[in-house]
Amino acid sequence: MRSLQSALAKILLIGSAGFLAVDARGAEFIVKASTVTEMKAVYGQVESRSVLPARARISGTVASVRVSEGSQVGKGDVIATVVDDKLALQLRAADAKIAALNSQLDSARTDLQRAQDLLAKGAAAQSRVDAAKTQFDVVTNQLAAAMAEKAVIEQSAKEGDVLAPADGRVLTVPVAAGSVIMAGEPLARVASGQYYLRLSLPERHAVEITEGARVDIGERGTGTNAGFVKAGEGQVAKVYPEIENGRVIADVEVADIGTYFVNERTLVSIPVAKRTVLGVPPEALRIVHGIDYVTVETADGALEVAVVLGATFQDAGHPRVEILSGLADGDKVVLP
């Protein structure tokens, strides 16, 4: 009985050992060539879609400036106030002229009424009534012209307020209170519209850059020495047809670019080419004394092959490690 139990134990041990050996060998992975997109890390410069100047509409002295660099403004907000002292004098002169014409109008109205009364009594000729009527019309028109001139002066005084041309952020304020400024000169520059990234790449990449291509945006403040750290994605919106100084220019739209400074540079990874590579799953690699090995199934059995590794990439959603040398297309790699 004891010998039977011992025999059964040996059979179970042999069976389990065989099962472990098959499990340790695992499945096979057929090495196949894959096409991957080669990315290039370049610097993109943040720019505003439009930069509008807030210009003075009248000449005069800057009385006050209500914004500074970096201020957020809305369309129609008062940025500064320009005062022209001559406008106050012109306004007083217009008021005096209107008062004088009002007196002349009252006198002409009285003369016209008197002439009409005398004509009704037969004591005056029709010509006198016509003359009085003409004088009344002349003074009425002069008064209307004087009031229109006053309205122009009042409108000029109102135009002393310099308004923001659009919603955005103030970039520069080149004037200060007390400065003398002419009509049409800018008092501030406002960056309006969505920010975007402008890229400048070598001419050899011009053919590979296409509109609609996905672009990886690096983390703000990182450089090439620190390595590329992806923080977001963008899309190539426009590729300019003219090459300047051996560089091709492209614009990248970013949905939420954040609070970047205008003209700030940030790292961008953009697709520039495609190449064919061989890759294996990371679990197929084994490191022995600092050398990477892959187990390959051959006609003579399993063989350990030393390989040189490249970059990692994604193949149909699965991670792969690029094999620069040591394997060929169609090789059967044994997974653990």
Side-chain angles (χ1 to χ4, degrees):
M1 183 67 179
R2 183 173 299 175
S3 61
L4 179 60
Q5 292 178 351
S6 177
L8 290 174
K10 289 180 180 181
I11 293 173
L12 291 175
L13 181 61
I14 293 172
S16 62
F19 174 76
L20 291 174
V22 173
D23 185 63
R25 180 178 177 183
E28 290 181 349
F29 175 81
I30 307 299
V31 178
K32 294 181 180 179
S34 302
T35 301
V36 298
T37 302
E38 185 175 353
M39 307 293 287
K40 180 178 180 62
V42 296
Y43 278 102
Q45 185 167 301
V46 180
E47 295 191 9
S48 175
R49 184 59 62 189
S50 59
V51 178
L52 303 177
R55 300 183 182 273
R57 294 177 288 178
I58 64 171
S59 302
T61 304
V62 179
S64 63
V65 179
R66 304 186 185 182
V67 297
S68 61
E69 290 81 355
S71 300
Q72 289 286 343
V73 296
K75 184 177 181 179
D77 290 348
V78 178
I79 290 179
T81 302
V82 179
V83 175
D84 187 358
D85 295 334
K86 297 189 298 295
L87 293 178
L89 299 176
Q90 292 174 3
L91 191 59
R92 280 190 286 178
D95 288 336
K97 184 177 181 179
I98 290 173
L101 290 174
N102 279 324
S103 299
Q104 294 180 19
L105 184 63
D106 292 340
S107 177
R109 184 181 295 106
T110 302
D111 291 343
L112 177 61
Q113 185 63 42
R114 184 182 297 113
Q116 289 175 345
D117 292 343
L118 293 175
L119 178 63
K121 295 177 181 180
Q126 181 64 38
S127 59
R128 181 177 178 180
V129 176
D130 294 341
K133 180 67 169 60
T134 301
Q135 182 62 25
F136 177 79
D137 293 340
V138 169
V139 176
T140 300
N141 293 332
Q142 289 178 347
L143 180 60
M147 295 181 68
E149 292 176 359
K150 180 183 178 181
V152 171
I153 298 172
E154 290 176 341
Q155 181 62 30
S156 298
K158 293 179 181 179
E159 291 180 351
D161 290 337
V162 181
L163 308 180
D167 299 340
R169 182 161 48 167
V170 178
L171 298 182
T172 57
V173 183
V175 299
S179 303
V180 177
I181 195 167
M182 302 298 293
E185 291 187 28
L187 281 86
R189 292 171 58 244
V190 179
S192 62
Q194 184 181 357
Y195 289 171
Y196 66 97
L197 293 175
R198 173 154 291 181
L199 308 182
S200 177
L201 295 97
E203 182 179 349
R204 64 180 181 272
H205 300 309
V207 179
E208 299 295 337
I209 301 174
T210 58
E211 295 183 2
R214 181 185 59 82
V215 175
D216 295 335
I217 310 299
E219 192 175 30
R220 188 177 183 184
T222 58
T224 53
N225 295 332
F228 184 82
V229 180
K230 181 178 176 180
E233 292 185 356
Q235 188 177 13
V236 177
K238 187 174 185 179
V239 179
Y240 289 87
E242 183 179 8
I243 294 178
E244 301 177 1
N245 299 322
R247 314 286 291 184
V248 59
I249 309 299
D251 292 344
V252 175
E253 294 284 358
V254 185
D256 186 12
I257 198 171
T259 57
Y260 279 86
F261 292 100
V262 176
N263 295 330
E264 180 180 353
R265 299 175 68 205
T266 187
L267 205 58
V268 175
S269 181
I270 182 171
V272 294
K274 292 184 178 180
R275 57 192 178 93
T276 302
V277 298
L278 299 177
V280 297
E283 59 268 21
L285 299 172
R286 190 167 63 92
I287 301 176
V288 179
H289 302 298
I291 300 177
D292 298 296
Y293 288 92
V294 172
T295 304
V296 179
E297 183 69 25
T298 65
D300 299 329
L303 180 64
E304 295 287 338
V305 178
V307 294
V308 178
L309 305 183
T312 60
F313 63 96
Q314 294 287 328
D315 184 14
H318 301 287
R320 296 287 184 263
V321 180
E322 181 183 359
I323 303 299
L324 300 178
S325 65
L327 294 180
D329 191 4
D331 284 349
K332 297 179 180 180
V333 175
V334 179
L335 301 179

